[in-house]
């Protein structure tokens, strides 16, 4: 209830995205190449619209993954005003029984702002349907708890609650989405209340 009281406004985002993804694994190789791309009605980061909040956003990544759980990738997003964000990511993910976990680091970069924009060390632990994550930067720590549920295999739902300790601000995002497989492409239609 305290988190809800801190929300000062409500934002409704309708999004349609066309996502393509693929993975290439080489015979007798422990390394695979992956890539995906999607189009979104806007780019939200921790419930905050980037740019003016009305720009269409292309988002995607390309990377290498080792079968031991280590991966390196570059992620990008347009729709940050007139700029493009690109992040370099190193991640290690694994499972221990029903528990999945991930640790990593990513840098935050912008094409038109070649200065050091910082980065975040992160970690998460999941036991379906819950995931707890923490993101640590030089001047803040962001905590996130996500609960996910599939409704009769027809629609995916999630609620994401976050807290930024530097801003003393909490946010809640509710998501509804449906993915449609189209060969190697996925059409995702969703609605999110922020």
């Amino acid at each position: 209830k305290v988190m809800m009281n801190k929300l000062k406004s409500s934002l409704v985002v309708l999004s349609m995205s066309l996502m393509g993804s693929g993975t290439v694994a080489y015979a007798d190789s422990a390394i695979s190449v992956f890539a995906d791309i999607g189009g979104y009605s806007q780019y939200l980061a921790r419930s905050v619209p980037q740019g003016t909040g009305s720009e269409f956003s292309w988002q995607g990544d390309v990377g290498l993954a080792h079968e031991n759980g280590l991966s390196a990738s570059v992620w990008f997003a347009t729709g940050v005003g007139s700029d493009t964000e690109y992040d370099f990511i190193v991640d290690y993910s694994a499972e221990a029984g029903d528990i999945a976990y991930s640790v990593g680091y990513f840098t935050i970069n912008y094409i038109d702002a070649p200065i050091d924009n910082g980065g975040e060390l992160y970690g998460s632990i999941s036991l379906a349907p819950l995931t707890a994550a923490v993101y640590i930067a030089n001047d803040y720590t962001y905590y996130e708890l996500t609960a996910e549920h599939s409704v009769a295999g027809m629609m995916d739902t999630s609620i994401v609650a976050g807290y930024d300790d530097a801003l003393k601000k909490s946010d809640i995002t509710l998501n509804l989405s449906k993915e449609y497989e189209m060969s190697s492409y996925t059409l995702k239609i969703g609605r999110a209340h922020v």
Side-chain angles (χ1 to χ4, degrees):
K1 183 171 177 168
V2 172
M3 287 178 130
M4 292 300 287
N5 289 337
K6 289 186 178 183
L7 291 174
K8 294 184 179 169
S9 63
S10 177
L11 172 68
V12 177
V13 179
L14 291 175
S15 66
M16 285 186 64
S17 65
L18 178 62
M19 297 173 49
S21 64
T23 301
V24 177
Y26 299 98
D28 298 326
S29 175
I31 297 176
S32 59
V33 177
F34 62 89
D36 65 47
I37 189 166
Y40 300 85
S41 60
Q42 64 177 305
Y43 171 22
L44 293 176
R46 298 184 180 135
S47 302
V48 177
Q50 303 302 294
T52 64
S54 62
E55 295 96 348
F56 183 83
S57 178
W58 287 105
Q59 299 176 26
D61 67 349
V62 62
L64 298 171
H66 192 275
E67 66 184 10
N68 68 5
L70 187 63
S71 66
S73 61
V74 178
W75 178 87
F76 75 90
T78 64
V80 187
S82 62
D83 209 345
T84 297
E85 178 181 343
Y86 63 98
D87 302 344
F88 296 106
I89 305 164
V90 176
D91 179 87
Y92 176 75
S93 296
E95 295 179 4
D98 292 337
I99 298 173
Y101 58 93
S102 181
V103 294
Y105 182 81
F106 63 91
T107 62
I108 302 169
N109 308 281
Y110 299 92
I111 290 178
D112 292 337
I115 60 170
D116 179 15
N117 294 297
E120 294 181 354
L121 178 65
Y122 65 88
S124 70
I125 187 164
S126 300
L127 179 59
L130 300 174
T131 300
V134 62
Y135 301 86
I136 303 168
N138 287 338
D139 53 354
Y140 64 89
T141 302
Y142 186 81
Y143 304 92
E144 189 174 81
L145 181 62
T146 303
E148 298 177 307
H149 180 68
S150 181
V151 180
M154 297 176 50
M155 182 171 291
D156 296 322
T157 63
S158 68
I159 182 167
V160 182
Y163 179 75
D164 186 319
D165 73 339
L167 298 175
K168 306 293 186 228
K169 176 185 174 276
S170 59
D171 56 81
I172 295 177
T173 306
L174 303 172
N175 301 296
L176 301 172
S177 65
K178 173 67 178 168
E179 293 185 1
Y180 296 94
E181 295 294 329
M182 300 182 319
S183 182
S184 62
Y185 297 93
T186 301
L187 176 65
K188 186 172 185 176
I189 301 171
R191 179 179 178 150
H193 295 273
V194 181

